[in-house]
Amino acid sequence: MTTIAQALAQAQAAGLARIDAQMLLLHALGRATHDRAWLLTHDGDALTGEPLARWQALCARRAAGEPVAYLTGHKEFYGLALQVDARVLDPRPDTETLVEWALEVLAPCPAPRVADLGTGSGAIALALQQQHPDAQVLAVDASAEALAVARANAQRLGLAVQCVRGDWLAGLAGPFDAIVSNPPYIPAQDPHLAALTHEPLSALASGADGLDDIRTIVAQAPARLAPGGWLLLEHGWDQAEAVQALLRAAGFAQVQGRRDLAGMVRCSGGSLPAGHQ
Ligand code: GLN
C-alpha cells in the first residue's frame, strides 16, 4: 500500500518539485490545488485505484516538461483564479510586476483607457480591470485560440474586459492612458526555448534578438497614447538597456525599469510627452 506521504516522497525522489507534486496530487484527488494543509492532515491515507493512476499519469507529464498549470487547468495570477491551457502562455508571477506598475501609473486617471497587447489568458488585462473597475480595458491578441481563453476567463470572473483580435496596435485608434504588454521576447535560437516546448512558440520567441515584437509595439504606441500616457513592457532579464534605448529613440520620456521577484529589471517603460509629434 502507498500512503499519501510515500507517494509525495517518491515523486520528489524522481525529481518533481515538492509544490508541483502536492498540487498535482490534490488535482488527482479532485481537491483544490491550494489545499496543501489537507495533504498534511491526511498523509497516512492510502492512495489507490483511479486517483493513484491519475496522479502517476500527471507526474509523468510534468516530468516531460508540461507546466503544472496546464495539467491542473488553473493558475493563480494577481489573486485571480485563471483557467489556462496549452493555447496560452502559462502566466508567470514575474508579470505581476507589470500589473503593479500599470496600477501605479493609472492611479491618477479616474476612468482610464488601457490596452493589453498579446493578452494570452487575459492575465494582465483581467488583473487591471479587477483592481481598477472604472478602467476600460481592451485585451488584444493575434491568436483566436488565445482570445477564446481570455474571453472565457473574463466571463467566468465577471470582468468587463473587451477582447479583440489584432496585430499589436494595428487597427486600434486609442487614445490609451496606458499600453501594457508581455510580448514574446526570447531570441529565436535561445537554448532556453527547449525547456518551454509545451507553450505556444508565438508567445515566446521573437526574431534573432528577441526584440522584433517590442520594436513593433514601441513604433506603434506613440500615435495611440494620450499625452502623458505610459507604455509598459515586460522583457528578458538582459534586455532592459536595449528596450529603454528603443523607448528613448521613439520619443518617450521618464524611461525607466522595474525589477521582478528575482531582482532583474524585467519591465521597462516610458511616458509620452505632451505635444509629441
Ligand atoms: N518569461 C518567460 C520565460 O523566459 C517568457 C515569457 C515571454 O516570452 N513573454 O520563461
Side-chain angles (χ1 to χ4, degrees):
M1 186 198 77
T2 307
T3 64
I4 281 180
Q6 287 165 342
L8 286 171
Q10 283 163 11
Q12 276 183 263
L16 252 68
R18 179 178 154 84
I19 174 107
D20 292 1
Q22 290 173 321
M23 289 174 76
L24 293 177
L25 182 50
L26 286 162
H27 185 65
L29 291 166
R31 309 196 71 86
T33 51
H34 58 75
D35 196 8
R36 290 190 287 148
W38 186 91
L39 289 175
L40 291 178
T41 52
H42 290 78
D43 66 353
D45 288 11
L47 183 63
T48 55
E50 270 299 302
L52 176 62
R54 273 201 297 274
W55 143 258
Q56 286 168 336
L58 288 168
C59 286
R61 289 172 63 184
R62 178 67 196 121
E66 274 188 71
V68 172
Y70 293 173
L71 297 173
T72 62
H74 303 284
K75 182 72 162 227
E76 178 126 339
F77 180 85
Y78 215 83
L80 293 177
L82 297 175
Q83 280 183 12
V84 298
D85 58 43
R87 291 175 289 177
V88 295
L89 187 84
D90 174 13
R92 315 284 203 264
D94 286 331
T95 303
E96 294 181 347
T97 301
L98 191 65
V99 173
E100 252 148 36
W101 194 4
L103 290 171
E104 257 173 60
V105 305
L106 292 173
C109 311
R113 292 190 62 185
V114 185
D116 171 23
L117 310 179
T119 196
S121 63
I124 299 169
L126 294 165
L128 293 177
Q129 185 72 73
Q130 200 211 20
Q131 296 295 317
H132 209 320
D134 296 328
Q136 218 179 305
V137 183
L138 204 59
V140 184
D141 209 292
S143 156
E145 289 197 311
L147 271 188
V149 177
R151 243 183 226 123
N153 276 320
Q155 208 158 45
R156 213 169 20 80
L157 295 167
L159 293 167
V161 165
Q162 200 193 332
C163 299
V164 296
R165 191 154 176 206
D167 188 12
W168 305 122
L169 286 159
L172 299 180
F176 298 103
D177 298 291
I179 296 171
V180 299
S181 183
N182 172 18
Y185 52 68
I186 302 177
Q189 303 303 325
D190 193 318
H192 176 61
L193 283 173
L196 304 173
T197 51
H198 293 273
E199 294 179 87
L201 187 62
S202 61
L204 293 166
S206 185
D209 63 357
L211 295 172
D212 280 5
D213 290 299
I214 287 181
R215 272 188 284 268
T216 301
I217 295 168
V218 170
Q220 291 178 338
R224 276 89 168 180
L225 279 169
W230 285 81
L231 172 61
L232 306 179
L233 298 166
E234 179 174 323
H235 51 68
W237 63 276
D238 56 354
Q239 292 172 330
E241 226 176 286
V243 173
Q244 292 177 18
L246 288 170
L247 288 165
R248 282 191 202 95
F252 283 92
Q254 301 184 68
V255 172
Q256 57 194 284
R258 283 286 191 282
R259 290 178 193 279
D260 65 14
L261 302 168
M264 310 306 295
V265 180
R266 173 67 56 183
C267 302
S268 289
S271 75
L272 192 74
H276 178 89
Q277 297 300 305

